[in-house]
Amino acid sequence: MLRDRTELRGLTRQLDAVGALSEALRAQRHEFSNQVHTVAGLLDLGEVAEARSVLGRLGATGPLSFPLEQAELLGDPSLQAFLGAKGIEASERGVVLRLGAETLVRNPVAAAQDVTTVLGNLVDNAVRAAVAGSPDSSGERWVEVELLDDGPTLHIVVADSGDGIGGIEPEQLFERGFTTALPASEQPGGHGLGLHLSRQLARRHGGDVWVISPGRPGGPGAVFGARVVGLTDEEKVDRDSRLGRAGPRGRTGNG
């Protein structure tokens, strides 16, 4: 049952991410179309210099800009789309979502649903923390995500510019029921939401979620680490063969 619920939650997050990204790109396409019409109007009026200026700006920025810089470091298109959508959501709240310097994902992730749930919870909490906290010395609120794959394992680090987790003991954040103890708006740094589930998911296959640094008031905020382990190719073959022998009725009964 846990697997069914978490896979459904992961798929829902992925669909939401793709939908949000599609809307953002559609809006950018509309803006680009407006710019083209502007150029045409300027040419009709004989304002060649101004038309060249508009075209120059378009040439510098491109017709479409992906909402996550260096997204090419993510070799999984669904992961690109998911974090791109998270970047859009963060931007709407005045937060910059960026990739860390050590990020490199060379292949599609091996545990897509678990990664989506764990990473989504960590990013959502970090954005809340950045919004609730003070901006950094340059006046920016930010969330930094660092991802590195190692075979079927994805290593995740999420940091933010918020005020940290306050006086809460790090392990308390992962306790069952912690998220219902306080309203989200009153939880220091916005952390804690979904962390129990995230750790539970990660630990199913030998992964984990933990607090690397609690952060401090005035920033930088807390830093969370996660390790999500997927199945190897051999384990997938074994799983599929066992599911095949179970048959449709067996699978339905287990759901």
Side-chain angles (χ1 to χ4, degrees):
M1 290 294 293
L2 174 63
R3 177 181 174 183
D4 291 340
R5 289 196 301 270
T6 54
E7 286 188 353
L8 178 59
R9 184 172 298 185
L11 288 171
T12 300
R13 281 180 176 269
Q14 288 178 315
L15 287 173
D16 289 344
V18 172
L21 183 60
S22 297
E23 286 299 320
L25 294 177
R26 186 177 297 113
Q28 289 189 39
R29 184 179 62 183
H30 178 72
E31 176 61 24
F32 179 67
S33 177
N34 287 341
Q35 295 288 344
V36 171
H37 287 302
T38 298
V39 171
L42 289 170
L43 291 174
D44 287 342
L45 294 172
E47 299 288 346
V48 177
E50 186 61 27
R52 286 182 180 274
S53 176
V54 174
L55 288 174
R57 291 196 297 271
L58 284 176
T61 60
L64 297 177
S65 58
F66 196 77
L68 183 69
E69 292 187 4
Q70 295 185 302
E72 66 276 6
L73 296 174
L74 305 176
D76 185 326
S78 65
L79 191 57
Q80 282 190 13
F82 182 71
L83 282 178
K86 288 298 180 185
I88 294 169
E89 294 173 0
S91 178
E92 290 174 347
R93 303 187 66 183
V95 177
V96 175
L97 179 64
R98 65 195 189 203
L99 293 177
E102 301 299 321
T103 293
L104 182 60
V105 178
R106 292 154 289 193
N107 302 294
V109 296
Q113 283 77 34
D114 287 358
V115 166
T116 300
T117 299
V118 172
L119 181 59
N121 278 330
L122 292 178
V123 170
D124 288 347
N125 286 340
V127 170
R128 292 190 192 96
V131 170
S134 304
D136 64 14
S137 57
S138 64
E140 187 176 68
R141 289 180 167 86
W142 51 264
V143 170
E144 183 171 283
V145 177
E146 203 159 72
L147 303 169
L148 181 65
D149 63 343
D150 181 15
T153 300
L154 183 68
H155 300 276
I156 302 170
V157 176
V158 178
D160 62 68
S161 61
D163 293 327
I165 62 175
I168 293 178
E169 288 295 322
E171 284 301 305
Q172 186 181 354
L173 296 173
F174 300 95
E175 293 177 1
R176 181 188 296 273
F178 175 80
T179 56
T180 61
L182 289 172
S185 61
E186 296 180 18
Q187 291 180 17
H191 294 292
L193 185 61
L195 288 176
H196 174 78
L197 173 62
S198 295
R199 173 176 275 185
Q200 191 176 21
L201 286 176
R203 286 182 170 178
R204 287 190 308 170
H205 301 298
D208 206 354
V209 181
W210 65 96
V211 177
I212 297 175
S213 169
R216 63 175 185 268
V223 182
F224 283 77
R227 184 176 66 255
V228 181
V229 183
L231 299 178
T232 64
D233 291 339
E234 293 77 9
E235 289 172 331
K236 289 178 182 178
V237 170
D238 179 64
R239 177 201 62 188
D240 293 343
S241 65
R242 285 188 286 106
L243 289 175
R245 285 197 298 271
R249 181 174 298 178
R251 288 196 295 272
T252 302
N254 291 333

